[in-house]
Amino acid sequence: MAFDFENKKSLGGNIWKAVPVDERKAELIAQRFALPLPVARIIASRGIPVDDVANFINPKLQNLMPDPFCMKDMEKAAKRIAEAIVKKQKVAIIGDYDVDGATSSSVLRLYLESVGIEPEIHIPERDEGYGPSRQAFDEFAVLGAELVITVDCGTTAFDVFDYAGSLNIPVIVLDHHEAEVRLPEVYAVVNPKRLDESDDYPYLKYMAAVGVVFCTIVAVNRELRKQGFFAGREEPNLLQWLDLVALGTVCDVVPLLGLNRAFVRQGLRIMSLRSNTGLRALIDKSGISEAPSAFHLGYVLGPRINACGRVGEASLGNKLLCSRDDFQAGQLADKLNEFNAQRKEIEAYVLLSAIEMLEGTPQEYPIAFAAGKDWHQGVVGIVAGKLKERYNVPAFVMSIEPDEVKGSARSVPGVDLGALIIAAKEKGLLTKGGGHTMAAGFSLSEDKIEAFRRFAGEYVRQKLGEEDVAPVIEVDSALDLLGANTDFAAALELLEPFGAGNAEPKIVLEHVRIVKPGIVGAGHVRCFLTSGNGGSLKAMAFKIADTELGKTLLNSQGAVFDIAGVLRRDNWQGRNSVQFIIDLSLIHISEPTRHAQIS
């Protein structure tokens, strides 16, 4: 793929670069799987081995899911949970307050209910803090809990589990966060990121917590079947909960590769059946009128469930997803919509405050580091993500509370936040924290903020160096306008689901002319693209009308551009056409000459 814009900067300072491709491999994939060569190039460029292409374009659980007992402590955990079910013991669940936590606790709760156990659920509010707490175990002790299972948390909760041990409450941890060499002293820790796990099934390390929980209920169900538990009673269909597994997987931004692809592809099919009462209500209240896609999970449904843990009542996500009553589900979905609207207002205030703080002070390190006393802790993660996108550096945003400082961080390639947080904890700078390579949460005392800023700054400087790094936009394919047709858009859908680790392909339309630009809806810019070769294509750029880029587009009638974005089929109201989405994170324009670049 020879692009004439290769390595050129666009107005926003981004560098366009073609994704490197092994052309021989691409041709082999195209021939063996009867794919258009541009689509085969995208698959080849993403490092998918030829022998794995069939599982990539048609991911199936039976082909991609290994024996759950391959994970350490899984057999032990499954037998103990099965024992609790058979003996009808009191089981309690502690979950996280994000979407992965809500779906993880819901999948486990729904499974236990299907086999006759009514578990107690504890989802901590943000002021209680992330993960298991003494408060939760005190509540469970009063309720007579005989087994506690933590989901999406617990791998590094050493002190709390020591307290649980003093109460003689056995604990099983089902988690996926970064682990330390030392593990907590509990009954079992099932976590594919345990440092003593083998590398025989590397895709397991990519799972969200809800994927770990699903593997666990498969193992428990097998153990119950082995013991004859289902003799004379109906065995639950585990596949019915894949819609929740898909939701948690997409929203936790784990790579959509291997087993995760099967979870999401199959889960979306289950979701289209609308069998989960709570999800059905949330879909309808969110205005989704088509079969949900990974986009809807990540950008429509997920934020609403997240909002109840950010600014509302953290337990509502679990209650909604486990609801069996249409009226109750509708009320809960309405509450989540209200919380999401509040979250947007709070987020806008904190983001503006953080930007003013950062841009009003010279920055010593290649990080965005901001803290405020009136900032709602529920939105610091979202704001960190937006600062990371704005400045292209790791971002750390903190809410200074009366008793402690609670923060969230988002990273850029080259900086492993999970490792950074563990190192900061080992130095005594943080009281607790954990996360993944690209995202983390943490707590610290107010008098440690400056020391943590210096530590994080030096850590990132060592990884990234001193020079400003220009964002690189990797382009998957370049087309003329006639090539951007329904057949090509349909072929691109074979690569779905899109998300972390498998981004929606970035396409460049070369030498196209802007026609009839105008504002539609809430600040969106719509136009048509034409070329000398003929043809016309509708294009949209969302929420940019009042930006410099939006104004440039609106004043570019007749100008010629290279435009980067994504190509999608448009099936609205039964039509079968294509449209081009000019991605906001990519839009920039070079000098307003006869031939400009938008990306």
Side-chain angles (χ1 to χ4, degrees), residues 451-463:
F452 178 56
R453 183 188 72 83
R454 291 196 301 269
F455 174 83
E458 294 291 349
Y459 187 101
V460 172
R461 176 185 284 166
Q462 184 179 9
K463 299 295 182 182

Side-chain angles (χ1 to χ4, degrees), residues 388-532:
K388 182 263 295 185
E389 292 174 0
R390 182 182 181 94
Y391 301 114
N392 195 45
V393 295
F396 302 78
V397 181
M398 286 142 284
S399 169
I400 302 175
E401 307 293 329
D403 54 342
E404 67 177 341
V405 178
K406 297 178 181 178
S408 192
R410 299 293 182 269
S411 195
V412 297
V415 178
D416 184 340
L417 282 181
L420 185 156
I421 294 300
I422 288 174
K425 284 169 59 181
E426 290 174 347
K427 286 188 170 292
L429 299 175
L430 303 178
T431 55
K432 57 183 176 180
H436 318 296
T437 301
M438 303 302 288
F442 55 90
S443 298
L444 67 160
S445 60
E446 188 173 352
D447 62 354
K448 296 287 188 182
I449 291 178
E450 177 57 24
F452 178 56
R453 183 188 72 83
R454 291 196 301 269
F455 174 83
E458 294 291 349
Y459 187 101
V460 172
R461 176 185 284 166
Q462 184 179 9
K463 299 295 182 182
L464 297 182
E466 293 285 352
E467 296 184 9
D468 291 337
V469 180
V472 174
I473 294 174
E474 293 190 325
V475 175
D476 293 284
S477 186
L479 303 172
D480 62 25
L481 198 61
L482 292 178
N485 53 41
T486 54
D487 289 341
F488 185 65
L492 288 177
E493 292 174 359
L494 293 172
L495 308 182
E496 294 180 348
F498 299 126
N502 184 47
E504 190 168 6
K506 299 300 181 188
I507 308 297
V508 166
L509 298 180
E510 297 187 291
H511 306 164
V512 295
R513 193 176 299 275
I514 301 291
V515 178
K516 297 180 180 178
I519 298 175
V520 295
H524 313 313
V525 174
R526 181 177 65 187
C527 63
F528 291 88
L529 308 177
T530 63
S531 73

